[in-house]
Amino acid sequence: MTLTVLNPATEEPIAELEQAGLEEADAAVARAKAAFPAWRAVAPADRARLLRRLAALVEENAEELAQIESRNVGKPIAGARGEVGMVAQVFHFYAGAVDKHRGDTIPVTGGVAATFHEPLGVVGLIVPWNFPVNIASWKLGPALACGNTIVLKPAELTPLSALRLSDLVLEAGIPKGVVNVLVGKGSVVGQRLVEHPDVAKIGFTGSTEVGRSVMEGAAGTIKRVTLELGGKSANVVFADADIERAAASAPYAVFDNAGQDCCARSRVLVERAAYDRFLEQFVAATAKVHVGDPADESTEMGPLISAEHREKVASFVDGDTAFRGDVPGEPGFWYPCTIVEASNDDRVAREEVFGPVAAVIPFEDEADAIRIANDTPFGLSGSIWTRDTARALRVTRAIDTGVLSVNANTSVRVQTPFGGFKESGFGRELGLEALDGYSELKSVFISTEE
Ligand code: NDP
């Protein structure tokens, strides 16, 4: 079957691809399985060199990759360049990590005990449409560094950057069969990878709903899984914060990537004493967000990914809004920056909207802020804005999420572990910690008895 790939800003087709079915999925797994023994045997220094070459090729082809991503996802080109820059950094980081993932020697009686990190084998990497090449690299980097071979399944809506990246993988000298890209439906080929007896692990990023089905499907073969799922993160603004700075940065915490970001701080919790002042400044800053043509250098927000997704996002906004921005006319799956005043019990505050909709919620004091921030099934990210360092530490320790920032909106760095608590998933990506998710720990005892 043919897959037509659209540009969400113009609704025009930008590619026609052959869609893989079950047979092609099995063939991709077989290729990865056949490539595994030779790839695991590559000396660590050589694997590092190949990853370094891949990083350099991503840098050399960065503009092309960014243009592909911008057109396929509707991402502002400036943001797409940043994301591709991170892809190169990720490969550099894991190139440097290949020979630093050390085992231990452990004091035992009668001999020597040592631990080794062994590759898992074939790993299935299933990635979403919101940061396609970026999230693919977070999984590819550590998976390759550890000596695994890969079947990478991009989202149907956004397969183009993964396909281009797979050309660069070969150009870098990584042997054929080590990375295999599978373009097809999640419910068909994704599911097949999840259940396939020759796939040792699934690295998944996407919705909590599909994450649940991945866990279920993986149970049959006791497959390892890493799940990076949805979020409903809080941006907690205390009255003692630099309100101007917090308000100026708040739009980017939730409207970046048109809100299609698992780390979006879509619940903006504001201490009552500063509520009106903050809301006024948040609205003023949001009104300045430049929404429009993703190819324009000054654009800060593009369209949503699809008409269907826009319908879902729109279903969250049915009453008064504190702000509703302008959008270009059709074609394009546009949805405006929207701010609503809400209670934490409202649907807009409970479910992941995955669009440019911020729910502003007042709180009374520190304990109330922590209670509301934690009153969600999710636990991925969040921010605290305060000038009180002790409070910042108390609150960050008390909020049940995997990633937090203080007086900043960032969630992701190559060097630091990233992942969720609660229904936002488990396992960690990025940092040296990701290597543990793509290897098994083996204990070996060698007797010294005569
Ligand atoms: P999905 O969770 O459906 O998609 C993520 C990936 O999983 C895609 O590659 C998809 O393939 C694949 N997939 C779908 N079904 C299965 C399955 N049964 N077995 C294995 N893989 C599967 O997210 P959507 O794209 O449908 O987005 C829906 C919602 O999910 C969003 O509105 C948002 O709330 C949330 N989401 C969260 C993300 C995050 O980073 N936390 C990222 C993306 C979405 P394909 O698309 O080709 O069918």
Side-chain angles (χ1 to χ4, degrees):
M1 227 174 66
T2 309
L3 170 72
T4 304
V5 182
L6 296 184
N7 177 338
T10 62
E11 301 182 33
E12 282 167 359
I14 49 174
E16 299 270 338
L17 301 172
E18 222 20 70
Q19 220 171 10
L22 295 178
E23 224 171 272
E24 288 84 1
D26 289 349
V29 172
R31 283 196 301 277
K33 188 178 176 186
F36 177 60
W39 179 243
R40 85 178 297 181
V42 170
D46 291 332
R47 214 150 55 220
R49 191 173 42 76
L50 291 169
L51 273 171
R52 230 170 260 125
R53 206 184 285 162
L54 177 58
L57 281 169
V58 169
E59 281 161 352
E60 279 167 35
N61 294 277
E63 186 57 25
E64 185 198 346
L65 280 167
Q67 293 288 350
I68 291 173
E69 203 78 325
S70 172
R71 274 207 314 278
N72 194 175
V73 189
K75 254 177 215 299
I77 183 65
R81 287 194 186 111
E83 287 165 30
V84 171
M86 187 185 185
V87 172
Q89 267 187 50
V90 168
F91 292 136
H92 276 303
F93 180 85
Y94 288 106
V98 169
D99 53 7
K100 293 167 196 70
H101 195 212
R102 297 176 186 156
D104 282 323
T105 51
I106 302 164
V108 290
T109 304
V112 175
T115 57
F116 297 87
H117 298 284
E118 305 289 5
L120 297 164
V122 178
V123 298
L125 307 180
I126 301 178
V127 300
W129 44 258
N130 54 342
F131 296 99
V133 74
N134 205 253
I135 292 179
S137 76
W138 301 0
K139 301 179 194 305
L140 279 168
L144 287 170
C146 291
N148 301 285
T149 55
I150 288 142
V151 180
L152 168 65
K153 198 210 88 62
E156 263 178 287
L157 295 170
T158 59
L160 300 183
S161 53
L163 289 169
R164 183 67 188 111
L165 186 64
S166 71
D167 296 339
L168 299 179
V169 165
L170 289 179
E171 203 179 324
I174 294 172
K176 231 172 153 195
V178 171
V179 177
N180 305 273
V181 175
L182 192 60
V183 175
K185 273 192 184 311
S187 54
V188 179
V189 297
Q191 182 78 19
R192 182 64 143 217
L193 294 178
V194 169
E195 291 171 359
H196 203 296
D198 290 338
V199 174
K201 177 194 170 125
I202 295 289
F204 174 83
T205 300
S207 59
T208 294
E209 191 191 344
V210 175
R212 246 178 224 116
S213 98
V214 168
M215 250 180 115
E216 276 174 29
T221 48
I222 315 290
K223 224 175 236 68
R224 282 79 184 118
V225 287
T226 297
L227 301 176
E228 301 291 348
L229 310 176
K232 195 72 209 175
S233 298
N235 196 5
V236 184
V237 182
F238 285 96
D240 70 12
D242 180 341
I243 296 294
E244 220 164 279
R245 207 176 130 214
S249 114
Y252 303 97
V254 53
F255 304 132
D256 249 7
N257 213 44
Q260 302 166 124
D261 180 348
C262 46
C263 294
R265 278 92 167 139
S266 51
R267 292 184 301 147
V268 187
L269 276 44
V270 188
E271 192 165 4
R272 190 156 324 256
Y275 185 88
D276 292 341
R277 194 155 52 101
F278 175 88
L279 183 58
E280 189 185 322
Q281 292 183 31
F282 179 31
V283 165
T286 302
K288 290 190 199 142
V289 174
H290 181 188
V291 184
D293 180 4
D296 185 329
E297 299 286 335
S298 65
T299 294
E300 294 173 301
M301 191 176 104
L304 294 174
I305 192 69
S306 66
E308 189 190 352
H309 188 53
R310 178 173 55 189
E311 224 169 275
K312 182 190 154 197
V313 170
S315 76
F316 284 91
V317 185
D318 53 7
D320 288 343
T321 57
F323 177 78
R324 206 174 161 77
D326 294 324
V327 285
E330 293 191 352
F333 308 124
W334 305 99
Y335 194 83
C337 291
T338 305
I339 300 174
V340 296
E341 294 184 85
S343 131
N344 200 52
D345 296 327
D346 295 341
R347 179 173 168 243
V348 70
R350 302 230 55 93
E351 294 178 26
E352 186 175 45
V353 178
F354 227 59
V357 180
V360 188
I361 302 165
F363 68 83
E364 305 304 331
D365 54 24
E366 192 176 307
D368 199 30
I370 293 166
R371 182 188 63 75
I372 299 173
N374 283 337
D375 181 12
T376 170
F378 298 108
L380 191 54
S381 189
S383 290
I384 318 295
W385 294 82
T386 176
R387 286 191 169 97
D388 179 341
T389 318
R391 162 176 277 170
L393 266 176
R394 279 195 306 273
V395 177
T396 49
R397 294 300 305 273
I399 291 183
D400 299 329
T401 73
V403 188
L404 280 154
S405 52
V406 177
N407 298 327
N409 281 324
T410 53
S411 302
V412 168
R413 287 184 174 70
V414 176
Q415 302 86 349
T416 56
F418 172 78
F421 283 25
K422 305 196 283 188
E423 292 187 19
S424 290
F426 55 84
R428 292 294 177 266
E429 304 206 285
L430 300 172
L432 292 175
E433 288 76 2
L435 298 170
D436 294 334
Y438 287 97
S439 54
E440 290 282 17
L441 194 60
K442 181 184 282 172
S443 251
V444 175
F445 171 76
I446 302 163
S447 169
T448 50
E449 308 274 311
E450 294 221 35

